[in-house]
Amino acid sequence: MSSTLSAGYYRPSPTEEYTEDSAGGDFDFFSCLVSSWEAAAVIHGSPTRGAVVRSGVVLGRDGGAISRMLWPFRLGLGGPLGSGLQPFPWIHVRDLSGIVCHVLESEGLQGIFNGVSPSSPSTSNGSFAQELGAALGRPALLTVPAWAVRAVFGAERASMLLEGQRVVPKRTLESGYHFIFPDLSAALKDIVA
């Protein structure tokens, strides 16, 4: 069993939707790294079954992406990155751990599973910023310009933040997993409560 960041595997695209069967893993450092992790997780000729969960941005109360975002948003200084139109693949930490447990406990499951919310493909960075602001009762109007994101994070990480991917949990849903937090608003309210 392995878990990797799906945003690192799939090519950034504002329009293409990626399922577990979509190609990726060969266009930049992060995608090659994720491919190498996944290849190392599979032991060829082993009697054990292999499963990989490719997670989106993990949202939870303690640590993770939210911990870095909360202070600016609580101060009313939060907002979208760049245009805000880029897809934002996300998952609540309880659903990520739920998917991992579901895959481990279901003997017939193996292969790749996208650990992202079913509403993730329709979530943009801008709509995420608006929902986080609403959950905190704060405005989310200040846009962080793309040049500032590139200056802080460097070109490769900035492209992940400024371009994004529409990732769909097709096989995850087909496997019978039922999401606890399929909706971003409910997930953020749970996290900031």
Side-chain angles (χ1 to χ4, degrees):
M1 183 69 158
S2 172
S3 182
T4 60
L5 185 66
S6 66
Y9 181 79
Y10 302 111
R11 184 177 297 278
S13 172
T15 56
E16 183 152 357
E17 284 195 353
Y18 298 106
T19 69
E20 292 87 345
D21 297 322
S22 300
D26 63 353
F27 56 92
D28 66 7
F29 171 76
F30 289 115
S31 66
C32 291
L33 179 63
V34 171
S35 290
S36 296
W37 283 341
E38 290 182 5
V42 177
I43 303 169
H44 295 287
S46 171
T48 60
R49 65 187 168 95
V52 173
V53 177
R54 293 181 184 145
S55 73
V57 177
V58 181
L59 306 177
R61 289 184 186 166
D62 302 317
I66 287 285
S67 65
R68 294 185 181 120
M69 296 178 210
L70 281 180
W71 281 110
F73 276 85
R74 281 193 169 131
L75 295 172
L77 302 173
L81 303 179
S83 71
L85 300 175
Q86 65 274 29
F88 188 80
W90 67 274
I91 187 166
H92 191 288
V93 68
R94 286 181 53 199
D95 277 317
L96 181 58
S97 60
I99 292 168
V100 170
C101 289
H102 172 70
V103 171
L104 286 171
E105 293 170 357
S106 304
E107 288 189 29
L109 297 181
Q110 61 185 12
I112 306 295
F113 298 88
N114 281 337
V116 295
S117 166
S119 69
S120 182
S122 63
T123 304
S124 68
N125 181 272
S127 62
F128 173 81
Q130 291 299 318
E131 291 287 352
L132 181 54
L136 292 168
R138 299 284 190 264
L141 305 173
L142 297 178
T143 300
V144 180
W147 64 265
V149 175
R150 286 187 192 92
V152 170
F153 294 102
E156 283 195 22
R157 279 192 179 168
S159 73
M160 287 174 52
L161 296 170
L162 296 170
E163 296 177 43
Q165 303 85 1
R166 294 186 190 283
V167 182
V168 179
K170 183 177 182 280
R171 287 193 72 228
T172 305
L173 289 168
E174 290 172 352
S175 76
Y177 180 74
H178 298 285
F179 282 81
I180 302 165
F181 294 101
D183 175 67
L184 180 60
S185 177
L188 290 173
K189 285 176 185 170
D190 175 75
I191 291 164
V192 301

